[in-house]
Amino acid sequence: MTELQAEKRIEELSSLIDYHRKKYYLEDSPEITDDEFDSLMHELKALEAEFPKFYKPTSPSTRVGGYVAEKFEKVTHKVPLKSLNDVFSPDEVKSYLEKCEATLGHKAPFVVEYKIDGLSVSLEYENGLFVRGATRGDGQIGEDITENIKTVSAVPLELNEKIPYLCVRGEVYMPKKAFALLNEKRDENGETPFANPRNAAAGSLRQLDSRICASRNLSIFIFNIQDISGGPEIKSHKDSLDYLKKLGFVVSPSYDSFTSFEDIMDRIYRFGENRSSLAFDIDGAVIKADLYSDREILGELPHVPKWAIAYKYPPEEKTTKLISIEVNVGRTGVITPFAVLEPVKLAGSVVSRATLHNADFIAERDIREGDMVVVRKAGDIIPEILKVDKNHRNTQVPFEMPKVCPSCGEKVAREENEAAYRCVNPECPAQLSRSLEHFVSRDAMNIDGCGEAQINALIENGLVKDAADLYSLKAEQIEVLDRMGKKSADNLINAIEKSKEAGLSRLLHALGIRHVGKQTAIALSKFFGSLDALMCADVELLSQIDDVGEVVAKSIVNYFSLESTKHLCEKLKSAGVITEDNTAEKKSSKLDGSTFVITGTLPGMKREEAAAIIEENGGKVSGSVSKKTSYLLCGSDAGSKLTKAESLGVPVISLDDLLNMIS
C-alpha cells in the first residue's frame, strides 16, 4: 500500500468508526455487529502502526488504551464540581419546591433526570478537541485521568463544532451487562468480585494503566455545561442538553421539565419503578431548576447549589428462604457456590438465585441451607445475601465446599492464600465449553464464527472433546448442525485452518493456563521460542522472565506436567498448529540479554516505538523496575520509576544513548 492509499484509508476508517460509534451511543441504533466494529478498529491500528505519520491525537484508536501513568496529576477545576443536597421523601420534595416558589415569586419549571450511580468527571475541549478529563475529587481539585477518559467510547474526541472552549460535567458508569461479565471473570479467576457497578467504574477510571480501563467497557452521560466560550446563548438547562447532543455528547436519557409537585413526583416514581429495566444503575432522581435566570436568583452555597436537589431511593431488601447451596464449575476449574432461594420479587424482577462468591464469603456471614436470609440486588443487577436471620435458623450444619468436582468426580484443591476451590482436571466436561470459548476468542486463536452456540452444538454432538479436536472437523459434520449450513460450515473450517498460523504467543494464551494472560504469553513465546522448550522449563528458569513470578512459574510447570496437557499439545502439533514463536525477526542481537524499563516523555518518539526498537534488537521491555532491570530509558517528567532505578543502582539512559547502543 502506498502512503497516499494509506492516508486515504486511515481517514475513511476514522470517519466510519466515528459514524458507527455515534449510531451505537447517540442514536441507540447500531448498524453493524461488535465484531465488525472491532475489525474496523484493528485495521485502523495496523495502518497507523505502519504509517505513523498519519496518526492523529483524535484517532478512534486512542480509545483502546496502552498508556501507563506514573501517577495522576492534580487538576484545579475552573468551575467547582459541587454535590447536591439529598432528600428521601415526597414531603421533603414538596417543602423544597415551596421554598423555591417563595424565593422566586412564581412557580418555576424543574427538570427531572436520572441520578446515575457512577463517578462524576469534567471534560474540557479547546477549539472542538478533547484536551483533558478529570475526576471530581473534593469538588475543587481532582485528578487528571485524560488517557483513561479517552478509552470511554461515548466520549467524543472531537466535537461537531469548533467551540473555542467548553467544559462539561458527566457521570462515568459501568453498564449492568459489562459489570456482570467482569464479575463473572473475576469469580472464575478466584478474584474478589466488585461490590457494585459504581465501585467497578471508579476503580477502572483510577487505573494507572489505561489498557485496564479500556477493557472495562465504561460509558458516560453528560448532564451539565460547566463553562463555555464562543458558543450560542443558552437560557435553560433543557436547551443546554439539546445543544450538547448536537455537539456529539451522550446526555441524560430523560430530561423533561414540570412545574407541579404532583408531576415531578410522578416522574420520580416512574423512574423508580423502571430502574430494574435500565441498562445502567440509578440511585435516585435529580430535580433541577430549568431556567438559568431562576438559578441565579436561587443561588448557591459553598458546597451545594440551592437550585437542585437529589431524591434518593431506599435500597430494596427482602427476606426469603435459602433452599440450598449449589456450585458451578467455570472455565479455569473454579468452583463457585450460589444460593437457590424461594422466589421473591425484588427491584422489579423475581429473584430465585443469589451469588455466594466463595467459601470465605459463606463462612464470614455464616450462611447455611434452610436459613431465612435478607437479599438485595447489588447495583440493581446481581442478587446478593446481606445477612442471615438466625432467630429462625433450623439447621446446625455449616456449609462445606465439595471435596470432589460435581462434574467429573476428580479431587478439588484450594491453594494457599486463595479464596477459590478448583477442579484440577483439564478434561472436566463442565470446563470444556468455556475453555473452548476462550480458545477461539479474538485475543487467542481468533476463530471467527465459532461462538457459544456453535461450541455447544459441537460438544452435544460429540464432535469435540478438547481444543485439538477443532482441527479434525469436516465441513459435512458441521453443516448438518442447527443454524449452520454449507456456507457457514465452509467459513468455519476456513477460519479454523487459518488459526493454525496464529503462533506460539496466541496459542499459549488460548490454552488458558492459569495466571497466563496475553502479555505473559508473549513474553514466554519470545523467551523460549517453541512450545517444546517451554514444556521442559522448570520454576527457576521461568522465574528469570520479567513478567513471570514464582506463582506464575509454578502454575505453568504444573499445567505442563499433566498427562492430559501433553496429550493435547501433541494433538495440536499433529494437526499442524504452529507451536513456534513467529513474531518478526530481530534486526540485530545488540541488546540480547538486556531488560529495559521506559519512563517519562521521550523526545520525538512514543514509548511504543522505543519498545519496538528494543525488541527488534534483541532486548526485552518490562513495565516495572527491579534488580533484573538492565537499563531505565528515561525521558522528561519521569516519576517513581526513576527514583526506584536510582535506589537500585540501575543505569539510567536517554533515547540518544539507546540509539547509540544499536547504531
Side-chain angles (χ1 to χ4, degrees), residues 110-155:
F110 283 82
V111 172
V112 183
E113 300 174 8
Y114 292 117
K115 187 177 184 300
I116 311 298
D117 195 10
L119 189 74
S120 196
V121 299
S122 67
L123 310 180
E124 293 180 81
Y125 293 79
E126 293 177 359
N127 297 316
L129 299 179
F130 174 65
V131 294
R132 186 163 65 176
T135 61
R136 177 180 176 273
D138 63 3
Q140 302 287 337
I141 298 175
E143 293 177 312
D144 190 326
I145 53 168
T146 302
E147 296 302 323
N148 284 352
I149 286 291
K150 284 182 179 179
T151 71
V152 180
S153 293
V155 172

Side-chain angles (χ1 to χ4, degrees), residues 523-548:
L524 291 169
S525 178
K526 289 181 178 179
F527 186 90
F528 289 99
S530 72
L531 182 61
D532 288 338
L534 173 59
M535 291 177 72
C536 297
D538 57 19
V539 171
E540 184 179 357
L541 179 59
L542 284 161
S543 297
Q544 294 178 20
I545 305 172
D546 285 335
D547 289 343
V548 178

